[in-house]
Amino acid sequence: MIEKDKIPKLSIKNLQSIEDLSVQDIENIIDTAKLFKYSNKEQNKKIPILSGRTIINLFFEPSTRTLISFEIAAKRLGADIINMNIESSSLRKGETLIDTADTLNSMNPDLVIVRHSISGSINEISSRIKCPIISAGEGTVEHPTQALLDAFTIQDKGKNFKDIVVSICGDIEHSRVARSNYYLLKKMGAKVRFVTPEYFKPKNIENFDVEYFDNLEKGIDSADIVMMLRIQKERIANTDLPSTDEYYKSFGLTYKKLTRAKDDVLVMHPGPINRNVEIESALADDLNKSVINEQVENGVSVRMACLAMMVK
Ligand code: CP
């Protein structure tokens, strides 16, 4: 029996950045998500501790995993959730982001979840909304709940953060997932490597306490976790990219390249994946190595934990 009063609260009001979370917050989210992972396996998955609360999903960018898992999470907790359709909203009549935020705030939601392509947009929205806000991915800044569900998955598979080497591989420059995972893994004591071709290397790499590799085989040598990233085509301008075949040859993860990592390595990818571009198709589906589907499954439990800990 999960009781709302016994669920710990987050030390912060808005979940925009992993940098704002304490180690205790992260541990509390993971521990709470564990409880929901059990309840999510029951036939009746409803734990209606947020009955009567109103949550709004405000997604300005496409999403499958994050949007649907937040909706499922809210519904399993008994809240009413509204997915605002941006295309049919008054934004298309010229209403500003600020006025949209004011309008939604006037309807007294209990939590708003926002995905936006522009870095800084969530600060703009949160300045006008009284209730807590969760970032569901903001420009190239952060995607905090993705890093939390990745951490949950790593721990759930029996790994101890302080003992592991995590190689984050691919398009790091444009990846909010890479940034959130970097902050979280470093906070929890893991060793982090950035494995990326020169054209995807973050311009401010000196600000990250990582080992840097421009060669995939060397970068995943003896790694415990290989975290592949999607090429963020929608955020790339003026970068001379190789063909997808060339990229796959040098930076696509294959069974052959993976032999360099530890035998019990976990292969992760936040999704959506580009098969045979970032990762060999059969490897992505290989449940002995790939935890991609478990990441998605755990996303529901982690998002339930975040909602339960943040909604009053
Ligand atoms: N990982 C992730 O954010 O996927 P979606 O874009 O499908 O939500």
Side-chain angles (χ1 to χ4, degrees):
M1 182 74 175
I2 301 174
E3 292 171 42
K4 181 144 181 23
D5 294 348
K6 298 208 172 124
I7 291 177
K9 297 276 163 261
L10 271 197
S11 65
I12 49 169
K13 180 186 164 215
N14 295 333
L15 178 48
Q16 283 178 249
S17 168
I18 294 291
E19 282 198 282
D20 299 336
L21 294 176
S22 64
V23 169
Q24 186 65 63
D25 282 327
I26 294 168
E27 286 171 354
N28 286 345
I29 292 169
I30 290 175
D31 288 345
T32 307
K34 267 182 212 157
L35 303 177
F36 290 122
K37 183 152 180 165
Y38 288 117
S39 65
N40 283 333
K41 291 190 189 300
E42 300 288 326
Q43 192 170 31
N44 179 0
K45 300 170 181 62
K46 209 122 188 168
I47 311 270
I49 55 176
L50 295 187
S51 174
R53 313 303 198 283
T54 304
I55 296 174
I56 299 175
N57 258 338
L58 188 55
F59 277 59
F60 293 85
E61 282 190 314
S63 169
T64 299
R65 289 148 203 79
T66 316
L67 175 75
I68 303 296
S69 62
F70 266 120
E71 182 171 359
I72 291 174
K75 285 181 170 164
R76 288 196 181 155
L77 293 171
D80 298 312
I81 181 155
I82 292 92
N83 295 321
M84 180 163 148
N85 183 339
I86 303 297
E87 287 312 310
S88 63
S89 75
S90 288
L91 283 152
R92 291 293 167 260
K93 293 188 271 183
E95 188 163 47
T96 63
L97 193 58
I98 289 287
D99 285 336
T100 301
D102 272 346
T103 302
L104 296 178
N105 184 58
S106 301
M107 299 182 202
N108 294 315
D110 295 287
L111 187 134
V112 177
I113 299 155
V114 185
R115 170 171 286 194
H116 206 293
S117 61
I118 298 173
S119 305
S121 54
I122 299 188
N123 272 343
E124 214 176 315
I125 295 170
S126 68
S127 71
R128 312 295 280 228
I129 286 192
K130 288 197 205 95
C131 67
I133 290 195
I134 298 179
S135 164
E138 180 184 17
T140 57
V141 180
E142 279 215 47
H143 189 350
T145 58
Q146 179 68 47
L148 288 162
L149 73 88
D150 290 341
F152 178 86
T153 305
I154 291 169
Q155 210 186 66
D156 197 47
K157 298 303 281 184
K159 308 276 185 199
N160 184 339
F161 294 113
K162 292 196 166 57
D163 301 333
I164 57 172
V165 172
V166 182
S167 297
I168 304 179
C169 311
D171 179 6
I172 295 179
E173 166 67 358
H174 306 100
S175 174
R176 53 199 181 200
V177 172
R179 283 167 183 74
S180 284
N181 264 299
Y182 166 78
Y183 294 128
L184 190 149
L185 291 163
K186 292 301 288 185
K187 248 179 222 270
M188 303 308 280
K191 289 195 180 64
V192 179
R193 296 178 186 166
F194 278 177
V195 186
T196 175
E198 188 64 30
Y199 48 86
F200 283 153
K201 183 176 164 185
K203 290 185 183 52
N204 59 345
I205 191 147
E206 66 283 356
N207 295 346
F208 297 92
D209 177 19
V210 292
E211 272 190 284
Y212 163 66
F213 295 85
D214 63 2
N215 174 285
L216 186 64
E217 281 102 324
K218 287 183 187 156
I220 64 174
D221 191 61
S222 303
D224 299 273
I225 310 284
V226 176
M227 190 179 282
M228 301 308 294
L229 298 172
R230 182 174 69 85
I231 300 175
Q232 304 273 305
K233 284 202 176 125
E234 68 275 29
R235 295 182 222 291
I236 298 174
N238 309 322
T239 304
D240 262 342
L241 294 183
S243 68
T244 49
D245 282 353
E246 280 173 81
Y247 184 82
Y248 183 58
K249 215 166 145 193
S250 57
F251 260 85
L253 184 67
T254 59
Y255 276 110
K256 190 162 174 240
K257 290 177 194 154
L258 194 63
T259 56
R260 293 287 292 265
K262 285 201 176 144
D263 287 344
D264 64 348
V265 65
L266 300 181
V267 174
M268 306 181 78
H269 192 305
I273 61 173
N274 290 306
R275 289 175 184 269
N276 300 322
V277 178
E278 296 130 15
I279 184 165
E280 187 175 346
S281 184
L283 178 55
D285 293 333
D286 182 346
L287 301 183
N288 291 317
K289 296 282 179 205
S290 163
V291 293
I292 296 172
N293 289 343
E294 281 174 73
Q295 288 172 264
V296 176
E297 180 188 350
N298 293 333
V300 176
S301 306
V302 164
R303 289 176 175 126
M304 286 173 82
C306 293
L307 297 181
M309 292 170 70
M310 292 176 71
V311 174
K312 283 204 185 111

